Amino acid sequence: MTTLNSPPLPGHRYTAELRRETARFAEAARTLPLTEPVPTCPGWTLGDLVRHVRQGHDWATTILATRSTGFILPGGDLPDPPDEDRSWTERVAELGARGGDQEGRLADPELRARFVVEGADRLVEAIDGVGPEVPVWAPHGRQNKEFWPRWAVFETAVHRADVYGMAGQPFTPATEVALDCVDFCLVAFGVPEARPFLSPLFAEVPRGGQTLCFRATRESAYGPSSWLVTCAAGGVEVTREVPAGTRADATVIAEPADLLLVVKGRLRPSSPRMTVRGDRELLDFWLSHAVS
């Protein structure tokens, strides 16, 4: 089982990066047609992606502003009955198509950008308005507000990469931000409480002791830059800061931003921008089943 630590970046850094990532997303989204498909989010248009980002920020805002200690679905819905057989990924995908009443506003590029930024502004206010001692529901980790700023930066940065790819712009977040996002993503694979929020195919990943190493070419002053994923019989385990020379069945070495894109399924390990060693078939299977 993976041990969760407190977020490595200072709290004010997360809210500053959330504003920064959102502004970059909004500016890029302003320049593109609303109906343009998003290659890294199959079946979605830019309009779906814009709504999804705002819906995510609004979801976190609702939980924080109401001090909710229980699960609320994105969109403010109460959870479905326990026997409802839909994965988290499927629920979120359904939300991407909601919001038809916003189409007129989103069609205007300036209003579209403002729509996204407003959501992030409200979320920052909600984060700042809750003390660390206040109980707040989170999918995993400490049941207070600390999950939400980190999650919001991760979500927004990944979707900023989506829209930058559409616009032909390079995705170059700060090293420490990219590596914190990688850590946020990979550690969740080893936390049982996070499993309902992972890919519905996660249950099919190997459990025979296979190992995968993800290593960045640059280090962060704040947190880890390498991770070892062990597919143990009792559950996936994730180890931070893997010593150089550690042998794994499959290893990926890449720049921090590219490593984030790999672990979130936005960049294939066959890209010449990274080095892959060992069992590529295992790596491909892991990425196609663990990543949502």
Side-chain angles (χ1 to χ4, degrees):
M1 183 182 300
T2 304
T3 301
L4 287 169
N5 298 326
S6 296
L9 300 180
H12 65 84
R13 179 69 185 276
Y14 283 110
T15 51
E17 291 295 339
L18 173 57
R19 290 187 189 276
R20 189 173 293 116
E21 289 295 332
T22 303
R24 290 168 175 167
F25 175 96
E27 177 58 25
R30 186 182 65 80
T31 67
L32 298 167
L34 196 63
T35 57
E36 184 168 335
V38 184
T40 47
C41 299
W44 281 24
T45 65
L46 176 66
D48 296 327
L49 186 61
V50 167
R51 286 191 298 272
H52 173 72
V53 169
R54 174 64 189 259
Q55 286 163 346
H57 292 168
D58 286 349
W59 176 50
T61 298
T62 298
I63 290 170
L64 290 164
T66 62
R67 276 59 164 177
S68 176
T69 56
F71 174 49
I72 301 173
L73 285 171
D77 299 331
L78 294 174
D80 291 330
D83 60 350
E84 181 71 27
D85 188 23
R86 285 188 298 155
S87 72
W88 172 258
T89 303
E90 291 167 331
R91 294 174 193 268
V92 172
E94 290 171 3
L95 284 169
R98 287 191 187 178
D101 58 331
Q102 300 162 350
E103 288 302 315
R105 182 180 186 187
L106 298 187
D108 183 304
E110 300 303 325
L111 294 180
R112 183 189 315 165
R114 192 181 309 166
F115 173 76
V116 178
V117 171
E118 284 173 355
D121 287 344
R122 291 179 65 245
L123 177 51
V124 169
E125 290 177 7
I127 292 167
D128 290 343
V130 180
E133 75 288 347
V134 177
V136 176
W137 178 85
H140 55 82
R142 294 178 179 170
Q143 297 299 289
N144 64 3
K145 76 172 186 178
E146 75 174 20
F147 172 91
W148 294 105
R150 197 178 186 204
W151 170 85
V153 171
F154 168 73
E155 270 289 298
T156 310
V158 169
H159 291 313
R160 199 253 290 187
D162 292 328
V163 77
Y164 266 42
M166 297 171 66
Q169 299 182 45
F171 176 63
T172 54
T175 293
E176 61 270 22
V177 174
L179 293 181
D180 184 62
C181 289
V182 173
D183 186 65
F184 181 87
C185 179
L186 287 179
V187 166
F189 293 127
V191 180
E193 296 84 355
R195 307 258 164 95
F197 302 93
L198 303 179
S199 165
L201 299 177
F202 184 76
E204 300 176 21
V205 300
R207 292 290 191 273
Q210 297 88 340
T211 54
L212 302 98
C213 181
F214 298 88
R215 188 179 297 278
T217 56
R218 285 182 281 162
E219 296 183 353
S220 167
Y222 295 91
S225 58
S226 60
W227 300 261
L228 183 70
V229 177
T230 302
C231 303
V236 172
E237 301 172 358
V238 182
T239 304
R240 293 174 166 114
E241 292 296 16
V242 185
T246 299
R247 296 181 65 86
D249 294 314
T251 298
V252 179
I253 303 171
E255 286 285 314
D258 286 344
L259 199 61
L260 173 58
L261 297 181
V262 168
V263 300
K264 273 305 290 177
R266 267 54 178 184
L267 186 64
R268 299 305 305 164
S270 56
S271 168
R273 285 156 46 180
M274 66 196 65
T275 299
V276 177
R277 298 171 181 162
D279 191 341
R280 188 180 293 270
E281 187 174 326
L282 169 65
L283 176 62
D284 287 342
F285 188 89
W286 166 269
L287 292 174
S288 65
H289 285 69
V291 177
S292 59

